[in-house]
Amino acid sequence: MSELSKARIPDAPAIQRLPLLQLILVGLQHVLLMYGGAIAVPLIIGQAAGLSREEIAFLINADLLVAGIATIVQSLGIGPMGIRMPVMMGASFAAVGSMVAMAGMPGIGLQGIFGATIAAGFFGMIIAPFMSKVVRFFPPLVTGTVITSIGLSLFPVAVNWAGGGAGATQFGSPIYLAIAALVLATILLIHRFMRGFWVNISVLIGMCLGYVLCGAIGMVDLSGMANAPWVQFVTPLHFGLPKFELAPILSMCLVVVIIFVESTGMFLALGKITGQEVCPRMLRRGLLCDAGASFFAGFFNTFTHSSFAQNIGLVQMTGVRCRSVTIVAGGLLIVLSLLPKAAFLVASIPPAVLGGAAIAMFGMVAATGIKILQEADIGDRRNQLLVAVSIGMGLIPVVRPEFFAHLPLWMSPITHSGIAMATLSALTLNLLFNILGGAERAAINDCHAHSH
């Protein structure tokens, strides 16, 4: 049996036949949900590098193009790359701290960031086959803990959005709360009283209703849209040839390792939701796509790419588990990258609208983790301790982002990522309690068995 046919066996149910309209609408939901996160990274780095509004718009379009191509490769599977599951890709937040520092360094700037991104992507492609062998260190105990932490670490994003966005002048104003509540109530009522197609697009319906209401009361800002061109093509090396400097490259290589740890947790979460077992071969394909996207991104004026955790919640929420949906969503991202006016329109969705939908979806990710933990021996006190400490470690960067401010800068990709902190903690404690302590535990269990 060829590798291709072997790889296709686990995801056979993922090619559901859905009507074209439903595919496009569910795909659009995925795009709307991840769009804010996708454009945030180029926005932050563009501002840190002192770029003009036009240049920042170009960075965003470049990011959408690479995210769209990477999403299609990851979902469809091309050559040795792509996990063939419903995965959305976008610029990773893990590298933001390092890249902001690089943007301000003399002689580094954007060209140095792109050079480091290319080198780190190449490094990732070399180590992906070795990293894919870690699946055996992710039993349900570790996977469930990591997935619960992913959901919990996303909650501040949902709450920030629901309150009007981090930069809102009147954060928590009743109008923002009412809009978020309307979107959430719409989603819940559709799940309660409708089924099938309507449930699949419940998030889209809720967000459209919220957007129309915001437009009616003057909360949608479309200023500057008239100046945006109708069509704009992303050209490679737009900002000049990349520069390869050792310190930024080492920093980005560390970021790629962290992205791999996060992606492994997300792929395993998606495997549980879609009912597919993620074997080392599938994981290798997924990580190779993450690294390949980052390598490609450096040439196309954008940054390290990874899978988006928030879209896992949408897969669980809608019950649409076919990868053809994310393939369509990838195509929509590519179209948006070519049409700045359309991209502008999507970017104008008020944060409160996104917040209402996100509260339900990010909670669904945490609920999936709790469900997986039921498969583990959670009655064992050591396992309870593993879950407690790991979730606590994962919440540190969420509750107080400045907690690790005095540690070396190179550690920031780990210390600023709740997902990375929870994953490393759960892996270490599982190694200590269950793998290295396995023989001792077996002896204790035997003693108990004989005493009874």
Side-chain angles (χ1 to χ4, degrees), residues 94-409:
V96 167
S98 307
M99 291 192 297
V100 167
M102 285 179 218
M105 284 181 198
I108 304 288
L110 269 183
Q111 290 158 292
I113 292 173
F114 296 144
T117 302
I118 292 165
F122 184 70
F123 166 75
M125 287 193 278
I126 293 169
I127 66 162
F130 306 102
M131 288 290 288
S132 67
K133 294 186 169 43
V134 301
V135 175
R136 66 193 185 91
F137 295 109
F138 281 85
L141 179 67
V142 173
T143 311
T145 304
V146 169
I147 296 164
T148 305
S149 293
I150 291 172
L152 294 177
S153 66
L154 286 169
F155 254 108
V157 178
V159 174
N160 261 331
W161 283 345
T169 47
Q170 286 185 299
F171 183 83
S173 156
I175 189 68
Y176 296 141
L177 304 188
I179 288 160
L182 171 78
V183 174
L184 179 58
T186 304
I187 294 167
L188 295 175
L189 289 171
I190 289 171
H191 275 261
R192 169 64 183 84
F193 294 106
M194 295 184 177
R195 58 192 60 205
F197 172 70
W198 298 106
V199 169
N200 294 348
I201 61 162
S202 59
V203 175
L204 184 63
I205 295 169
M207 287 170 68
C208 285
L209 197 62
Y211 188 79
V212 168
L213 177 65
C214 288
I217 59 177
M219 279 177 60
V220 176
D221 179 17
L222 294 174
S223 59
M225 185 173 174
N227 303 331
W230 280 102
V231 178
Q232 184 178 40
F233 291 95
V234 175
T235 47
L237 306 177
H238 178 81
F239 295 93
L241 290 171
K243 289 181 188 169
F244 297 95
E245 303 278 343
L246 185 62
I249 287 172
L250 292 176
S251 172
M252 292 298 265
C253 285
L254 175 65
V255 166
V256 163
V257 174
I258 300 305
I259 286 172
F260 278 4
V261 171
E262 289 185 353
S263 289
T264 300
M266 290 180 213
F267 292 149
L268 292 169
L270 204 51
K272 293 285 184 186
I273 289 167
T274 56
Q276 299 169 52
E277 189 183 342
V278 178
C279 60
R281 185 189 291 108
M282 284 175 73
L283 186 57
R284 185 186 74 217
R285 295 179 62 91
L287 297 180
L288 265 175
C289 186
D290 274 11
S294 300
F295 178 76
F296 179 68
F299 291 104
F300 272 82
N301 326 291
T302 187
F303 314 105
T304 46
H305 272 55
S306 68
S307 338
F308 265 45
Q310 50 262 57
N311 292 85
I312 294 170
L314 187 56
V315 174
Q316 170 76 322
M317 182 95 183
T318 61
V320 180
R321 290 157 192 180
C322 61
R323 54 200 170 104
S324 39
V325 165
T326 47
I327 293 167
V328 168
L332 291 173
L333 283 173
I334 294 170
V335 170
L336 282 173
S337 79
L338 302 173
L339 305 173
K341 281 190 192 292
F344 203 103
L345 197 63
V346 178
S348 71
I349 296 174
V353 173
L354 292 169
I359 285 170
M361 282 178 300
F362 299 169
M364 287 294 270
V365 178
T368 301
I370 293 166
K371 182 170 171 248
I372 294 163
L373 280 173
Q374 292 172 346
E375 298 171 31
D377 180 11
I378 209 68
D380 186 299
R381 192 167 294 174
R382 285 187 195 177
N383 289 349
Q384 290 172 9
L385 201 54
L386 180 150
V387 174
V389 170
S390 301
I391 288 178
M393 294 298 282
L395 286 175
I396 290 172
V398 171
V399 177
R400 289 301 292 264
E402 70 277 22
F403 188 82
F404 296 111
H406 297 289
L407 293 184
L409 188 66

Side-chain angles (χ1 to χ4, degrees), residues 69-88:
I69 294 168
T71 297
I72 291 171
V73 173
Q74 190 70 279
S75 305
L76 187 62
I78 296 174
M81 291 185 185
I83 197 164
R84 297 193 177 109
M85 289 204 297
V87 175
M88 291 297 291

Side-chain angles (χ1 to χ4, degrees), residues 443-452:
I444 290 168
N445 289 343
D446 283 347
C447 263
H448 282 306
H450 288 307
S451 64
H452 287 302

